[in-house]
Amino acid sequence: MKKLNDEQLMILVKSGELNALSPLFEKYHVKLYNFFLRLTKNRSVSEDLVQSVFRRILSYRKSYNEEHLFKSWMYQIARNAHANHYRDNKIQISDYDDPEHIQVESDSAVEEMELESRKKTLYEALNGLQAEQKEIIELSRFQGLKYREIAEITGFSENAVKVKVHRALNKLRKLYFELA
């Protein structure tokens, strides 16, 4: 099963071979966790949302369309799970300040402190964005999805996604330099 691509594995899951979901879980659970962690700033909520996504994948496996990338379909489910969570729990409580652990070798403690300061400023700037802008940056920059994939996930055209990413990055840049 290791040699099958995501779509082939999902077709197996769709046909009832539920053990084919294990490689997909192994491949994507950390990425989904980081996606949710950056959006919710809460570890336990992020873990719950990852579990919710994979439960929904099982529940809605019959609706999977082989013409679409599994990753796009999964992120659509993830976006819906996050939206449902946010709708049901208007108050978001953060238990995490720095959602990304970046390992950097530096020659001095001063460089490390400067890097930490820049990262903190970046995350403060990210928190200043609207939810849609934060999500589109998360998908494009942190999750590494292509504009085509984001368009499929969000329902926007590819050109609209490009414009939204461009505007979100400009807004992020502006906020970052205001905070720096």
Side-chain angles (χ1 to χ4, degrees):
M1 246 188 258
K2 299 260 185 210
K3 298 191 187 222
L4 299 176
N5 68 28
D6 296 349
E7 291 71 28
Q8 291 167 328
L9 288 168
M10 192 57 213
I11 290 168
L12 290 173
V13 172
K14 183 178 180 177
S15 69
E17 293 186 43
L18 303 184
N19 61 337
L21 188 59
S22 292
L24 293 170
F25 179 83
E26 289 303 315
K27 182 175 180 179
Y28 288 109
H29 78 277
V30 172
K31 290 178 183 184
L32 281 173
Y33 175 80
N34 288 331
F35 171 73
F36 288 129
L37 188 58
R38 285 190 198 92
L39 295 176
T40 66
K41 310 273 184 294
N42 187 301
R43 292 175 183 166
S44 63
V45 169
S46 298
E47 290 169 358
D48 291 346
L49 288 171
V50 169
Q51 294 302 318
S52 175
V53 167
F54 282 95
R55 275 194 308 274
R56 289 176 186 202
I57 287 172
L58 281 176
S59 296
Y60 300 115
R61 67 184 180 272
K62 298 288 185 189
S63 71
Y64 176 69
N65 183 344
E66 296 85 8
E67 295 176 14
H68 299 287
L69 292 174
F70 168 77
K71 186 166 51 171
S72 299
W73 185 70
M74 179 191 68
Y75 276 107
Q76 282 179 320
I77 292 171
R79 288 182 73 229
N80 291 339
H82 178 256
N84 290 346
H85 170 77
Y86 183 75
R87 183 192 65 236
D88 296 341
N89 305 288
K90 294 278 185 208
I91 299 173
Q92 292 186 353
I93 300 171
S94 174
D95 67 351
Y96 198 60
D97 293 328
D98 184 17
E100 184 145 20
H101 301 288
I102 300 175
Q103 299 295 325
V104 177
E105 293 182 27
S106 70
D107 295 346
S108 71
V110 173
E111 288 177 12
E112 287 182 35
M113 287 174 37
E114 287 176 3
L115 177 62
E116 286 301 313
S117 175
R118 287 193 304 263
K119 280 177 28 182
K120 183 177 180 192
T121 303
L122 175 62
Y123 287 111
E124 286 177 25
L126 276 167
N127 288 331
L129 294 176
Q130 296 173 356
E132 182 182 278
Q133 292 174 320
K134 192 185 308 186
E135 181 183 63
I136 208 134
I137 286 177
E138 171 64 27
L139 291 170
S140 68
R141 296 303 187 251
F142 291 105
Q143 297 301 316
L145 298 179
K146 294 176 174 54
Y147 293 144
R148 175 184 45 79
E149 294 171 316
I150 297 170
E152 193 173 314
I153 292 166
T154 61
F156 297 124
S157 70
E158 190 172 339
N159 285 334
V161 169
K162 288 177 186 177
V163 169
K164 287 179 180 293
V165 169
H166 178 74
R167 288 180 181 162
L169 288 172
N170 283 341
K171 176 74 173 182
L172 179 63
R173 188 176 298 113
K174 181 181 177 209
L175 289 171
Y176 179 84
F177 286 115
E178 286 174 1
L179 293 169

